[in-house]
Coordinates of all heavy atoms in Angstrom, one line a residue:
V9 N 6.1 5.1 -5.5 CA 4.7 5.6 -5.5 C 4.6 6.8 -4.6 O 5.4 7.0 -3.6 CB 3.8 4.5 -5.0 CG1 3.7 3.3 -6.0 CG2 4.1 4.0 -3.6
Q10 N 3.6 7.6 -5.0 CA 3.4 8.9 -4.3 C 2.0 8.9 -3.7 O 1.0 8.5 -4.4 CB 3.6 10.1 -5.2 CG 3.5 11.4 -4.6 CD 4.8 11.8 -3.8 OE1 5.9 11.3 -4.1 NE2 4.6 12.7 -2.8
L11 N 1.8 9.4 -2.5 CA 0.5 9.5 -1.9 C -0.3 10.6 -2.7 O 0.1 11.7 -2.7 CB 0.5 9.8 -0.4 CG -0.8 9.9 0.3 CD1 -1.4 8.6 0.4 CD2 -0.6 10.5 1.7
A12 N -1.5 10.2 -3.3 CA -2.3 11.1 -4.1 C -3.5 11.6 -3.3 O -4.0 12.6 -3.6 CB -2.7 10.4 -5.4
W13 N -4.0 10.8 -2.3 CA -5.2 11.1 -1.6 C -5.3 10.3 -0.3 O -4.9 9.1 -0.3 CB -6.4 10.8 -2.5 CG -7.7 11.6 -2.1 CD1 -8.0 12.8 -2.6 CD2 -8.6 11.3 -1.1 NE1 -9.2 13.3 -2.1 CE2 -9.6 12.3 -1.1 CE3 -8.8 10.2 -0.3 CZ2 -10.7 12.3 -0.3 CZ3 -9.9 10.2 0.6 CH2 -10.8 11.3 0.6
R14 N -5.7 10.9 0.7 CA -5.9 10.1 2.0 C -7.0 10.8 2.8 O -7.3 12.0 2.7 CB -4.7 10.0 2.8 CG -4.1 11.3 3.4 CD -2.9 11.0 4.2 NE -2.1 12.3 4.5 CZ -0.9 12.3 5.0 NH1 -0.3 11.2 5.3 NH2 -0.4 13.4 5.3
A15 N -7.6 10.0 3.7 CA -8.7 10.5 4.6 C -8.6 9.7 5.9 O -8.5 8.5 5.9 CB -10.0 10.4 4.0
D16 N -8.5 10.4 7.0 CA -8.4 9.8 8.3 C -7.3 8.9 8.5 O -7.4 7.9 9.2 CB -9.7 9.1 8.6 CG -10.9 10.0 8.6 OD1 -10.7 11.2 8.9 OD2 -12.1 9.6 8.3
A17 N -6.2 9.1 7.7 CA -5.0 8.2 7.8 C -3.7 9.0 7.8 O -2.9 9.0 6.9 CB -5.0 7.2 6.6
P18 N -3.5 9.8 8.9 CA -2.3 10.7 8.9 C -1.0 9.9 9.0 O 0.0 10.5 8.7 CB -2.5 11.5 10.2 CG -3.4 10.7 11.1 CD -4.3 9.9 10.1
E19 N -1.1 8.6 9.4 CA 0.2 7.9 9.6 C 0.7 7.3 8.2 O 1.8 6.9 8.2 CB 0.0 6.7 10.5 CG -1.0 5.6 10.0 CD -2.4 6.0 10.1 OE1 -2.8 7.0 10.9 OE2 -3.3 5.4 9.4
L20 N -0.1 7.4 7.1 CA 0.4 7.0 5.8 C 1.5 7.9 5.3 O 1.4 9.1 5.3 CB -0.7 6.9 4.8 CG -1.8 5.9 5.1 CD1 -2.9 6.0 4.0 CD2 -1.3 4.5 5.1
P21 N 2.6 7.3 4.9 CA 3.8 8.1 4.4 C 3.4 8.8 3.1 O 2.6 8.3 2.3 CB 4.9 7.1 4.2 CG 4.2 5.8 3.9 CD 2.9 5.9 4.8
E22 N 4.0 10.0 2.9 CA 3.7 10.8 1.7 C 4.3 10.1 0.4 O 3.8 10.2 -0.7 CB 4.3 12.2 1.8 CG 3.7 13.1 2.8 CD 2.3 13.5 2.4 OE1 2.0 13.5 1.2 OE2 1.5 13.9 3.3
R23 N 5.4 9.4 0.6 CA 6.1 8.8 -0.6 C 6.7 7.4 -0.1 O 7.2 7.3 1.0 CB 7.1 9.7 -1.1 CG 7.9 9.2 -2.4 CD 8.9 10.2 -2.9 NE 9.6 9.7 -4.0 CZ 9.2 9.6 -5.2 NH1 8.0 10.1 -5.5 NH2 9.9 9.1 -6.2
I24 N 6.7 6.5 -1.0 CA 7.3 5.2 -0.8 C 8.4 5.0 -1.9 O 8.0 4.9 -3.1 CB 6.3 4.1 -0.8 CG1 5.2 4.3 0.2 CG2 7.0 2.7 -0.6 CD1 4.1 3.2 0.2
E25 N 9.6 5.0 -1.5 CA 10.7 4.9 -2.5 C 10.8 3.4 -3.0 O 10.1 2.5 -2.4 CB 12.0 5.3 -1.9 CG 12.1 6.7 -1.4 CD 12.0 7.7 -2.6 OE1 12.3 7.3 -3.8 OE2 11.6 8.9 -2.4
P26 N 11.5 3.2 -4.1 CA 11.6 1.8 -4.7 C 12.0 0.8 -3.6 O 12.9 1.1 -2.8 CB 12.6 2.0 -5.8 CG 12.5 3.4 -6.2 CD 12.2 4.1 -4.9
G27 N 11.3 -0.3 -3.6 CA 11.7 -1.4 -2.6 C 10.9 -2.7 -3.0 O 10.7 -2.9 -4.2
V28 N 10.5 -3.4 -2.0 CA 9.9 -4.7 -2.2 C 8.4 -4.6 -2.4 O 7.8 -5.4 -3.2 CB 10.2 -5.6 -1.1 CG1 9.5 -7.0 -1.2 CG2 11.7 -5.8 -0.9
L29 N 7.8 -3.5 -1.9 CA 6.3 -3.5 -1.8 C 5.7 -3.4 -3.2 O 4.8 -4.1 -3.5 CB 5.9 -2.3 -1.0 CG 4.4 -2.0 -0.8 CD1 3.8 -3.2 -0.1 CD2 4.1 -0.7 -0.1
A30 N 6.2 -2.4 -4.0 CA 5.5 -2.2 -5.3 C 5.6 -3.5 -6.2 O 4.6 -3.9 -6.8 CB 6.2 -1.0 -6.0
P31 N 6.7 -4.1 -6.4 CA 6.7 -5.4 -7.2 C 5.9 -6.4 -6.6 O 5.2 -7.2 -7.4 CB 8.2 -5.8 -7.2 CG 9.0 -4.5 -6.9 CD 8.1 -3.7 -6.0
A32 N 5.8 -6.5 -5.3 CA 5.0 -7.6 -4.6 C 3.5 -7.3 -4.9 O 2.7 -8.2 -5.2 CB 5.3 -7.6 -3.1
L33 N 3.1 -6.0 -4.8 CA 1.7 -5.7 -5.1 C 1.3 -5.9 -6.5 O 0.2 -6.3 -6.8 CB 1.4 -4.2 -4.7 CG 1.4 -3.9 -3.2 CD1 1.2 -2.4 -3.1 CD2 0.3 -4.7 -2.5
A34 N 2.3 -5.7 -7.5 CA 2.0 -6.0 -8.9 C 1.6 -7.4 -9.1 O 1.0 -7.7 -10.1 CB 3.2 -5.5 -9.7
A35 N 2.1 -8.3 -8.3 CA 1.8 -9.7 -8.4 C 0.5 -10.2 -7.6 O 0.1 -11.3 -7.7 CB 3.0 -10.6 -8.0
Q36 N -0.1 -9.2 -6.9 CA -1.3 -9.6 -6.1 C -2.5 -9.5 -6.9 O -2.5 -8.9 -8.0 CB -1.4 -8.6 -4.9 CG -0.3 -8.8 -3.9 CD -0.5 -10.0 -3.0 OE1 -1.6 -10.5 -2.9 NE2 0.5 -10.4 -2.3
P37 N -3.6 -10.1 -6.5 CA -4.9 -9.9 -7.2 C -5.4 -8.5 -7.2 O -4.8 -7.7 -6.4 CB -5.9 -10.8 -6.4 CG -5.0 -11.8 -5.6 CD -3.7 -11.1 -5.4
M38 N -6.3 -8.2 -8.0 CA -6.8 -6.8 -8.1 C -7.4 -6.3 -6.8 O -7.2 -5.2 -6.4 CB -7.9 -6.7 -9.2 CG -8.5 -5.4 -9.3 SD -9.9 -5.4 -10.5 CE -9.0 -5.8 -12.0
L39 N -8.0 -7.2 -6.0 CA -8.6 -6.8 -4.7 C -8.2 -8.0 -3.7 O -8.5 -9.1 -4.0 CB -10.1 -6.7 -4.8 CG -10.8 -6.1 -3.6 CD1 -10.4 -4.7 -3.4 CD2 -12.4 -6.1 -3.8
C40 N -7.7 -7.6 -2.6 CA -7.3 -8.6 -1.7 C -7.4 -8.1 -0.2 O -7.4 -6.9 0.0 CB -5.8 -9.1 -1.9 SG -4.6 -7.8 -2.1
E41 N -7.6 -9.0 0.7 CA -7.7 -8.6 2.1 C -6.3 -8.2 2.6 O -5.3 -8.7 2.2 CB -8.2 -9.8 2.9 CG -9.7 -10.1 2.6 CD -10.2 -11.2 3.6 OE1 -9.4 -11.8 4.2 OE2 -11.4 -11.3 3.7
A42 N -6.3 -7.3 3.6 CA -5.1 -6.8 4.2 C -4.3 -7.9 4.8 O -3.0 -7.9 4.7 CB -5.4 -5.7 5.2
R43 N -4.9 -8.8 5.4 CA -4.2 -9.9 6.0 C -3.4 -10.7 5.0 O -2.3 -11.2 5.3 CB -5.1 -10.8 6.8 CG -6.0 -11.7 6.0 CD -7.0 -12.5 6.8 NE -7.8 -13.4 6.0 CZ -7.4 -14.6 5.6 NH1 -6.3 -15.1 6.1 NH2 -8.2 -15.3 4.9
N44 N -3.9 -10.9 3.8 CA -3.2 -11.6 2.8 C -1.9 -10.8 2.3 O -0.9 -11.4 2.0 CB -4.1 -11.9 1.6 CG -5.2 -12.9 1.9 OD1 -5.1 -13.7 2.9 ND2 -6.3 -12.8 1.3
V45 N -2.1 -9.5 2.2 CA -0.9 -8.7 1.8 C 0.1 -8.8 2.9 O 1.3 -9.0 2.6 CB -1.3 -7.2 1.6 CG1 -0.1 -6.4 1.3 CG2 -2.4 -7.1 0.5
H46 N -0.3 -8.7 4.2 CA 0.7 -8.8 5.3 C 1.4 -10.2 5.3 O 2.6 -10.3 5.5 CB -0.1 -8.6 6.6 CG -0.7 -7.3 6.8 ND1 -1.5 -7.0 7.8 CD2 -0.6 -6.2 6.0 CE1 -1.9 -5.7 7.6 NE2 -1.4 -5.2 6.6
E47 N 0.6 -11.2 5.0 CA 1.2 -12.6 5.0 C 2.2 -12.7 3.9 O 3.3 -13.4 4.1 CB 0.1 -13.6 4.9 CG 0.5 -15.1 4.9 CD 1.2 -15.5 6.2 OE1 0.8 -14.8 7.2 OE2 2.0 -16.4 6.2
S48 N 1.9 -12.2 2.7 CA 2.9 -12.3 1.6 C 4.1 -11.6 1.8 O 5.2 -11.9 1.2 CB 2.2 -11.9 0.3 OG 1.9 -10.5 0.4

């Protein structure tokens, strides 16, 4: 994934190479709390 837009978040990386995050998010609900993403 590639960072397309950000505001007040300079620590966000410009690009995330293939790994565990993208497939894990594809299995998450459409909208979820940050703590649930962290826990998973």
Side-chain angles (χ1 to χ4, degrees):
V9 293
Q10 186 76 26
L11 182 65
W13 203 93
R14 67 179 167 188
D16 301 332
E19 66 284 341
L20 292 180
E22 293 287 342
R23 181 177 177 82
I24 303 176
E25 297 297 338
V28 178
L29 180 62
L33 288 179
Q36 291 285 342
M38 180 184 296
L39 190 64
C40 49
E41 292 185 344
R43 69 184 185 89
N44 294 333
V45 177
H46 298 169
E47 181 65 24
S48 65

